[in-house]
Amino acid sequence: MKYLFILYLIASFFLPITSAGQQLIGLPLVNNYNKTIYQGGSRTWDIKQDSRGILYFGNSEGLITFDGRYWKSYALPNHTIIRSLWIDDHDRIYVGGQGEFGYFEPAQQGGLTYTSLKALIPEEYRNFADIWNTISFGQSVFFRATNVIFEFKGQKITVHPAAAEWYFMGKVGESLFAQDKKNGLLVYRNHHWSPLLVALPYTDMKISAMIPLGKDRIVISTLNNQNYELKDRALIRLNKEGWEDSYTPSSARIDDSTFVIGNAKDGCHIRHINGKTIQRIGVREGLQNKNISAVFVDQQQYIWVASDNCISVISYGSALRYLRPNLENDVTGLSSLIFDYKLYLSSSNGVYVAPITKGMKDQSRSLSSFSLFPKSDGGEAWLLKELNGHLLLGHNKGLFQVKDQSLIPISNRTGIWNVLPLSSVFPVDHALVGTYQGFELLHYEQGSFHSGGQLRGILDSYRFIEQDDRKTIWASHPYRGIYRMRLAADRQSYQADLFTKKNGLPSDYQNFVFKIKDQVVFATEKGLYRYDYGKHVFVPALDFKVFDGLTIRYLKEDQDGNIWFCTNKSVGVAQFDPKGKTYQLVKFPEMEGMNTSGFDHINTYDKNNIYIVAEKGIIHLNYEKYIKEARKPTVLLSHVTVKSSRDSIIFAGYFPKNLSGNDKKLNAEEPQLASNLNSFQFAFSSPSYGIHEHVEFSYQLVGYDENWSPWAHVSEKSYTNLPSGHYRFQVKI
């Protein structure tokens, strides 16, 4: 019996110079994996990534790999720590351990096999301790211990003894550098180490990283948290102000203007090219532990962080960021508004406000911080609304105007949900206020608001209200149905009729009213509906068939005609094509389950600044960046297991490579198995970090399955008692 396994890969700013203490207002999302998940030792010393996106970790129990779903581990022959890693252009993984170094590469059975290089070392140099740096340079690979640097080329090892003690080794562009205790900073040229800087700023200075930033610029990071620029064979100190001496073992480049350092006391610091810290990410910001031993920036500009008993990933390069106004006690966001270059957030306990940098394209990159607006706490702040150039607040305590640093009372009625202008002419003279119990009228005269009192009519909770072009007021109640209302001529009362399933709605429940494209539409359990005045029933809204079958809870149209929506626990946008007058649905799996379910609100300020209220403040989405940089996910075959009395792995995730570095054709390695080995388990994954929990797969065993499987989060499939034959397993994502 033959089995052919073919894997189909189907893919379904510059920062301003900061002043001390200022930080970016937007926080990246953080995912943590403790050692019970990655099944390794408590300390991780180095992190690298191969061409397929798989992550590698030098851990106290060996080499650990992560492909987005599965963690695997590989021990060294002497079962010691792996201190350093380097992956070459052919995905060979060079490692440095304690008294041991060599490389891992794919084996014929599809796993990783280790080759030790220790036997090539001249006898008198075989007694060494830890290999702290491992780097490929030219045709050689260099391994740094404290007393010696080993150079591996071909099948020979050349020894470079230290004049006193090797402190550091690193590569920047086409140059290899090392630091010696006696001779300072050296550069490797013509097979020799040549002095570059003998006189370092202080005697005990120890370099931890050399980072290329911008054109021909190198920033040097030290073990005691200093940063220098290497320029014209001299070091210029960068972070002169606010510097704190603390252990900083690892740094990595993010882009041409920023880098990250890992600190043993403070977590991660994101620093500008001038050395100033623009953001700290510690336990309050999402890390499980702030004693950092290694940092690494991957292909997506995500920051991987190794700390005590934990490996974390910070989605720094993502188009999504958290805006959390209270890190000590998170509040639930309920609405947001940009007013007078300030970002206001109404929340489960008051209103928070933060200045926004003028001219900043991505406002989440503003150097700012939130503060609680005076006397706005003590209850839910439901709504922020701009009306007639003024900022209004609907609060559990009543309706207020937000002015300067004061809340000016307009109405003291308990529970203000919404404010609906009754005309489109500026300034609006009258507005309808939806409350916990009925309606109230709002008047605007001579530049100020005052309450017209409660209106007579059916007392219900009116949170969702809109007015159509016939002056009909529509209000939805998620548990009763939809009210159609008419205001009396004197605006002192209203008449209300309740519509339910018998009037054409799919259900009596989960109905919401919104205004989209200048028409009132009703979001239901089965898409969008409109009211047919001729037939006096609700009918499907044919202009919005893209939403058919979806349970929609919230709608908001942006300036470009796109329609943002919330459904179940997801957020998405129906992207509008003005030429074809059509829509294409785009969903955001990264924020699934994070938005404020049931109290949804989206502020579509512009394409770079979309604010979605969340269970922890606000999620900021740079939609232009998201669309521009969106990556098609790739799928990997993690392992294939023959299931029998003794399970056996016949493929462990790696295709052997030929000398040119290309994957061998899999049909050349076609497994031929005995007919009694007829039960298999396939495991697959995707290196889509940050969203891997939301990735869905579909699979098919050609020769057995007639159709592709339904999309699901499941990443394993078992087959039992297969008849003899020829099969091909394929996966799409």
Side-chain angles (χ1 to χ4, degrees):
M1 180 175 64
K2 295 183 178 181
Y3 293 87
L4 173 59
F5 307 125
I6 298 180
L7 184 64
Y8 284 75
L9 307 183
I10 304 174
S12 337
F13 91 71
F14 288 97
L15 294 169
I17 295 176
T18 73
S19 61
Q22 287 185 308
Q23 297 207 41
L24 301 182
I25 191 174
L27 287 169
L29 311 183
V30 179
N31 285 326
N32 296 299
Y33 307 95
N34 61 45
K35 71 175 187 177
T36 61
I37 295 175
Y38 64 76
Q39 293 291 301
S42 60
R43 296 283 279 178
T44 296
W45 302 95
D46 201 0
I47 309 170
K48 293 294 185 290
Q49 186 176 30
D50 72 12
S51 64
R52 295 192 296 164
I54 297 174
L55 271 297
Y56 298 82
F57 304 89
N59 184 261
S60 56
E61 293 187 6
L63 180 67
I64 293 176
T65 71
F66 181 49
D67 62 9
R69 285 287 175 120
Y70 300 99
W71 297 87
K72 299 176 184 178
S73 59
Y74 303 86
L76 292 180
N78 61 359
H79 297 279
T80 61
I81 294 170
I82 290 181
R83 296 282 194 187
S84 58
L85 299 170
W86 186 268
I87 301 176
D88 70 10
D89 294 338
H90 303 317
D91 283 345
R92 177 181 278 184
I93 306 130
Y94 290 92
V95 301
Q98 284 185 328
E100 175 65 55
F101 63 86
Y103 58 85
F104 287 91
E105 62 182 349
Q108 290 300 314
Q109 70 273 23
L112 289 177
T113 185
Y114 179 72
T115 298
S116 175
L117 298 176
K118 190 172 181 179
L120 300 178
I121 302 173
E123 186 70 34
E124 64 268 31
Y125 290 104
R126 291 185 184 177
N127 185 22
F128 61 92
D130 297 272
I131 299 294
W132 291 99
N133 301 120
T134 300
I135 295 171
S136 172
F137 182 72
Q139 300 299 313
S140 303
V141 180
F142 292 78
F143 302 86
R144 178 189 71 87
T146 54
N147 64 321
V148 65
I149 290 176
F150 300 103
E151 179 184 357
F152 171 63
K153 185 178 181 180
Q155 287 301 307
K156 181 182 177 182
I157 286 182
T158 302
V159 176
H160 303 272
E165 181 179 348
W166 290 117
Y167 280 164
F168 166 80
M169 182 176 65
K171 185 170 78 169
V172 177
E174 299 302 317
S175 298
L176 181 66
F177 298 92
Q179 183 191 4
D180 178 72
K181 181 178 181 180
K182 179 180 179 181
N183 293 328
L185 185 63
L186 303 100
V187 61
Y188 190 70
R189 291 175 181 155
N190 300 320
H191 310 290
H192 296 284
W193 293 100
S194 303
L196 184 68
L197 288 173
V198 177
L200 296 178
Y202 58 92
T203 305
D204 295 326
M205 174 181 176
K206 293 183 179 179
I207 297 172
S208 61
M210 297 182 69
I211 308 162
L213 291 179
K215 186 178 181 181
D216 301 325
R217 188 171 188 180
I218 298 175
V219 170
I220 290 179
S221 182
T222 70
L223 283 176
N224 70 330
N225 198 25
Q226 292 274 25
N227 295 127
Y228 297 86
E229 180 186 356
L230 177 60
K231 188 174 182 179
D232 299 328
R233 300 175 70 91
L235 290 182
I236 302 170
R237 186 174 171 184
L238 296 177
N239 54 338
K240 298 178 182 179
E241 300 173 3
W243 170 73
E244 182 181 0
D245 186 348
S246 56
Y247 185 58
T248 306
S250 183
S251 304
R253 176 186 182 274
I254 298 174
D255 54 33
D256 281 347
S257 62
T258 52
F259 61 100
V260 56
I261 67 105
N263 188 278
K265 181 179 179 181
D266 243 0
C268 287
H269 289 206
I270 311 298
R271 288 186 176 160
H272 187 252
I273 194 170
N274 62 12
K276 298 291 181 67
T277 295
I278 57 175
Q279 192 157 60
R280 289 180 175 85
I281 302 173
V283 174
R284 293 197 314 165
E285 292 78 17
L287 291 178
Q288 186 170 298
N289 188 288
K290 62 181 181 180
N291 181 12
I292 309 302
S293 54
V295 293
F296 173 76
V297 179
D298 71 11
Q299 297 160 7
Q300 298 173 258
Q301 285 193 341
Y302 285 18
I303 301 170
W304 290 83
V305 181
S307 62
D308 288 351
N309 305 304
C310 189
I311 294 171
S312 305
V313 56
I314 302 169
S315 300
Y316 192 83
S318 171
L320 277 79
R321 286 178 171 260
Y322 252 134
L323 279 67
R324 295 170 57 191
N326 189 338
L327 293 176
E328 300 293 342
N329 185 23
D330 278 310
V331 292
T332 300
L334 296 173
S335 75
S336 69
L337 190 71
I338 304 290
F339 186 81
D340 192 24
Y341 296 104
K342 297 183 182 70
L343 170 62
Y344 289 85
L345 169 68
S346 70
S347 76
S348 53
N349 189 28
V351 175
Y352 290 82
V353 59
I356 297 297
T357 304
K358 293 182 181 180
M360 181 68 69
K361 186 176 180 181
D362 184 330
Q363 294 170 344
S364 72
R365 303 295 178 117
S366 294
L367 292 157
S368 184
S369 61
F370 280 99
S371 60
L372 180 66
F373 196 89
K375 299 182 179 180
S376 68
D377 55 344
E380 296 89 350
W382 295 113
L383 173 77
L384 291 162
K385 179 85 171 183
E386 184 175 354
L387 187 61
N388 295 341
H390 302 285
L391 180 58
L392 300 182
L393 169 65
H395 198 283
N396 181 60
K397 296 178 179 178
L399 183 64
F400 301 87
Q401 180 180 343
V402 180
K403 190 173 183 179
D404 299 325
Q405 288 295 303
S406 302
L407 290 181
I408 301 172
I410 300 172
S411 168
N412 61 2
R413 284 185 59 80
T414 301
I416 303 298
W417 286 122
N418 208 339
V419 177
L420 176 68
L422 293 177
S423 76
S424 58
V425 178
F426 181 87
V428 174
D429 294 330
H430 304 284
L432 197 62
V433 180
T435 76
Y436 290 0
Q437 289 190 309
F439 286 116
E440 189 170 326
L441 195 64
L442 180 65
H443 296 294
Y444 182 75
E445 294 178 310
Q446 298 179 351
S448 63
F449 296 96
H450 67 273
S451 173
Q454 183 175 351
L455 305 186
R456 299 187 302 275
I458 295 177
L459 298 182
D460 208 335
S461 180
Y462 298 125
R463 181 173 156 217
F464 301 91
I465 49 177
E466 293 291 351
Q467 180 177 240
D468 67 17
D469 55 4
R470 300 189 182 203
K471 302 298 182 182
T472 301
I473 307 295
W474 296 94
S476 61
H477 193 293
Y479 309 119
R480 303 193 207 284
I482 293 172
Y483 288 101
R484 185 181 66 185
M485 303 177 177
R486 279 284 184 181
L487 287 178
D490 61 1
R491 294 193 180 95
Q492 296 299 306
S493 63
Y494 57 92
Q495 180 182 352
D497 298 307
L498 181 63
F499 292 91
T500 60
K501 185 176 181 180
K502 64 183 180 182
N503 302 104
L505 293 170
S507 171
D508 294 347
Y509 308 103
Q510 300 302 315
N511 299 299
F512 305 90
V513 58
F514 302 98
K515 199 165 191 176
I516 302 294
K517 303 292 184 185
D518 292 323
Q519 58 179 302
V520 172
V521 297
F522 304 90
T524 75
E525 292 180 347
K526 295 185 178 180
L528 302 190
Y529 279 63
R530 65 177 180 83
Y531 184 72
D532 189 322
Y533 275 96
K535 298 179 180 179
H536 305 291
V537 293
F538 292 89
V539 296
L542 299 180
D543 292 346
F544 307 108
K545 289 183 67 65
V546 68
F547 295 108
D548 283 0
L550 294 178
T551 301
I552 304 296
R553 292 197 321 264
Y554 182 86
L555 294 170
K556 180 65 178 293
E557 183 180 0
D558 69 17
Q559 300 93 319
D560 298 318
N562 305 314
I563 303 173
W564 295 79
F565 65 92
C566 298
T567 173
N568 298 324
K569 293 186 178 182
S570 299
V571 176
V573 59
Q575 189 166 280
F576 182 60
D577 177 8
K579 292 182 180 179
K581 305 295 182 182
T582 58
Y583 296 93
Q584 179 183 358
L585 291 186
V586 177
K587 289 190 177 181
F588 306 100
E590 298 95 326
M591 64 178 82
E592 185 172 325
M594 294 164 52
N595 57 306
T596 309
S597 180
F599 292 95
D600 309 275
H601 184 274
I602 301 176
N603 174 10
T604 57
Y605 183 79
D606 61 28
K607 59 187 177 182
N608 301 115
N609 300 282
I610 307 294
Y611 295 90
I612 300 112
V613 295
E615 293 179 353
K616 295 181 179 181
I618 316 174
I619 299 169
H620 177 277
L621 170 66
N622 186 329
Y623 184 56
E624 183 178 54
K625 174 182 171 70
Y626 187 93
I627 294 299
K628 183 179 179 180
E629 299 181 2
R631 299 182 177 210
K632 290 184 178 181
T634 58
V635 64
L636 302 176
L637 189 60
S638 294
H639 55 267
V640 182
T641 306
V642 176
K643 311 295 288 185
S644 62
S645 58
R646 293 183 62 186
D647 290 352
S648 176
I649 293 179
I650 61 172
F651 177 73
Y654 291 87
F655 299 134
K657 293 178 178 290
N658 59 26
L659 293 178
S660 66
N662 298 318
D663 292 340
K664 291 183 179 180
K665 291 183 178 180
L666 194 53
N667 58 9
E669 307 294 330
E670 180 177 331
Q672 300 184 37
L673 303 172
S675 59
N676 64 315
L677 299 177
N678 59 3
S679 297
F680 301 90
Q681 182 184 65
F682 298 88
F684 30 93
S685 62
S686 176
S688 300
Y689 307 111
I691 64 168
H692 57 276
E693 295 177 350
H694 307 292
V695 167
E696 293 184 342
F697 300 93
S698 177
Y699 52 81
Q700 182 185 32
L701 185 63
V702 177
Y704 185 80
D705 293 327
E706 293 185 2
N707 301 301
W708 287 90
S709 71
W711 290 102
H713 295 297
V714 176
S715 60
E716 294 179 353
K717 173 59 181 176
S718 295
Y719 293 91
T720 59
N721 299 319
L722 290 172
S724 295
H726 190 115
Y727 299 96
R728 183 176 72 248
F729 184 74
Q730 53 191 24
V731 186
K732 58 184 178 180
I733 181 171

